[in-house]
Amino acid sequence: MRNVFIFNPGPAVLPEPVLESTSKAVLDFAGTGMSIMEVSHRSKQFDALLVETVNLVKKAMEIPDNYKVLFLQGGATMQFAMVPINLLAEGRVADYVDTGYFASRAIKEAKLIGKVNVAASTKDDNYTRIPRASELKLTKDAAYCHITSNNTIYGTQWQTFPETGDVPLVADMSSDILSRRIDVKKFGIIYAGAQKNMGPAGVTCVILREDLIGRAPENTPQMLNYKPHAENNSCYNTCPVTAIFVVHEVLKWLLDKGGVPEMEKVNEAKARLIYEILDASSFYRAPVEKDSRSRMNIPFKLPTEELDNEFVAQASKKGLVGLKGHRAVGGIRASIYNAMPMEGVERLAEFMREFEKSHS
Ligand SMILES: *Cc1c(COP(=O)(O)O)cnc(C)c1O
């Protein structure tokens, strides 16, 4: 048992059983006598694991048969470019909703490739909320509509996804994939860097509706084209073997625990514990509008920056680490992904109450 609770935004906490099984596989993977870091990505043992990992993602998220699950590299940030390269043909427009730092980065990349319509932005509200459906200025025949389902830095989360009709909805779910039930068939593409809720850094999961594969222009480099990755089941080139192994272990752990519905239930309870303290307090301030609150990342502020810093330092001494807010927002941010146990959040809640009592 370790003696810290890790509230890092990403790379983030992993379940302890996953660390244990991974440490074994570092020495011997599947009885091969080779480390998971030494085994060929084309060996039959790893191939079996890769197939199983895809199936576990499909099972956990109830993904329909007409979707491919890929494991790529380059992070979610590479998907900011790959999505428009593959889907934003000349003469078309893509809708983007600007809900913060990563959404803005996605927009910036897309503009390098083609025409972008920013369908809504909450920048003027310092990204403290998700736009209302009535605010979205969607393009009727857009190539796709891109959203960021959970805004890791600002602590906002889409509660109801926009209705885009026949326009494929594309979602960056890096920081809330597998944290709540979602209806995958409402999406054309879902992508997520694994390092928040799914595994370690170094692999990105892309869930792709099959009819969206093969649309990239002829002159697209192979690595930026979904098609060769899909045709070769993520092994067009050397896939991130070790990172995929860890994702496999995380999925086994998650399904063992009761799957996404159980994660959702626990995540709601964990978040409630912190929001209840914030709402009852005049010491702590939570900037996000209530109906936009994230269950994964909870930002808040103390009365002064000095108190913010003292909070982070004292929490860290008590084994509650990684609570410093992002530099764009300041203050505190508690990232409470799937692998953060209820006990860690209870310890944070207790610390918040004590700190408030002794400093207000
Ligand atoms: C962390 C994060 C990213 C960036 O992911 P990389 O894997 O570092 O490229 C993108 N979008 C969201 C929502 C994130 O939380």
Side-chain angles (χ1 to χ4, degrees):
M1 285 289 282
R2 51 183 169 186
N3 54 4
V4 288
F5 289 103
I6 301 164
F7 292 90
N8 284 339
V13 58
L14 286 162
E16 272 190 53
V18 170
L19 302 181
E20 277 160 28
S21 57
T22 302
S23 72
K24 290 195 184 108
V26 165
L27 298 175
D28 179 10
F29 169 62
T32 56
M34 283 181 267
S35 168
I36 187 65
M37 295 184 285
E38 296 167 325
V39 78
S40 165
H41 61 298
R42 305 204 187 276
S43 64
K44 70 174 196 297
Q45 290 90 343
F46 180 73
D47 184 57
L49 180 116
L50 179 56
V51 169
E52 198 177 296
T53 310
V54 167
N55 288 336
L56 291 174
V57 177
K58 286 186 171 170
K59 186 175 171 191
M61 294 180 66
E62 298 180 41
I63 299 174
D65 286 341
N66 60 325
Y67 286 76
K68 277 266 186 190
V69 176
L70 304 179
F71 293 107
L72 307 182
Q73 298 187 58
T77 306
M78 180 71 99
Q79 296 309 305
F80 296 167
M82 274 180 88
V83 168
I85 285 170
N86 283 266
L87 298 186
L88 185 45
E90 220 176 310
R92 304 288 303 274
V93 176
D95 286 338
Y96 275 76
V97 184
D98 176 21
T99 50
Y101 181 86
F102 292 114
S104 304
R105 281 186 146 193
I107 290 168
K108 206 170 159 193
E109 287 296 273
K111 281 181 173 170
L112 298 173
I113 309 298
K115 210 163 157 214
V116 168
N117 167 51
V118 178
S121 171
T122 49
K123 185 167 189 216
D124 290 343
D125 295 319
N126 297 319
Y127 297 123
T128 52
R129 64 185 188 89
I130 297 291
R132 284 172 281 279
S134 60
E135 293 173 80
L136 300 179
K137 294 190 173 60
L138 299 174
T139 310
K140 219 181 246 96
D141 56 351
Y144 60 89
C145 173
H146 181 281
I147 62 165
T148 312
S149 62
N150 182 74
N151 297 278
T152 322
I153 291 171
Y154 293 92
T156 62
Q157 191 173 29
W158 288 80
Q159 315 299 328
T160 319
F161 294 112
E163 292 295 338
T164 56
D166 289 337
V167 173
L169 184 59
V170 175
D172 176 358
M173 289 197 187
S174 292
S175 52
D176 69 349
I177 194 165
L178 296 166
S179 74
R180 55 172 169 170
R181 285 165 298 165
I182 56 148
D183 185 359
V184 173
K185 67 177 183 299
K186 290 202 153 197
F187 297 86
I189 299 179
I190 293 169
Y191 63 86
Q195 69 271 22
K196 277 115 190 191
N197 221 10
M198 206 176 189
V203 63
T204 307
C205 184
V206 181
I207 300 160
L208 191 58
R209 210 175 63 207
E210 278 169 353
D211 63 290
L212 301 176
I213 300 168
R215 294 190 182 191
E218 282 287 315
N219 64 349
T220 304
Q222 297 297 289
M223 284 299 284
L224 298 174
N225 189 335
Y226 288 127
K227 197 167 177 229
H229 293 294
E231 283 174 351
N232 293 283
N233 299 315
S234 303
C235 288
Y236 173 72
N237 70 327
T238 313
C239 62
V241 173
T242 305
I244 292 170
F245 175 87
V246 182
V247 169
H248 176 268
E249 299 305 291
V250 168
L251 288 160
K252 275 203 328 199
W253 168 85
L254 180 143
L255 287 162
D256 237 36
K257 286 258 173 185
V260 171
E262 181 62 21
M263 292 294 137
E264 179 173 352
K265 221 169 80 190
V266 176
N267 286 331
E268 274 173 14
K270 288 188 303 192
R272 201 178 316 122
L273 217 53
I274 303 301
Y275 284 122
E276 274 173 7
I277 294 181
L278 296 176
D279 288 341
S281 164
S282 51
F283 181 71
Y284 298 112
R285 279 171 304 135
V288 173
E289 287 190 12
K290 282 190 183 170
D291 58 6
S292 296
R293 283 175 167 175
S294 167
R295 280 164 235 100
M296 296 279 97
N297 312 93
I298 307 183
F300 58 91
K301 281 186 172 163
L302 283 71
T304 65
E305 215 180 300
E306 290 71 46
L307 282 169
D308 287 340
N309 293 337
E310 196 182 329
F311 181 98
V312 171
Q314 282 197 24
S316 174
K317 276 191 200 141
K318 293 196 176 245
L320 308 169
V321 302
L323 285 162
K324 193 172 167 55
H326 189 272
R327 60 192 181 277
V329 178
I332 314 297
R333 170 177 47 171
S335 297
I336 50 172
Y337 301 116
N338 286 353
M340 168 58 67
M342 178 59 95
E343 194 201 336
V345 178
E346 285 167 353
R347 289 268 297 276
L348 173 62
E350 191 186 308
F351 175 74
M352 287 172 73
R353 284 199 202 88
E354 281 170 12
F355 195 91
E356 174 170 3
K357 215 184 266 168
S358 54
H359 290 82
S360 55

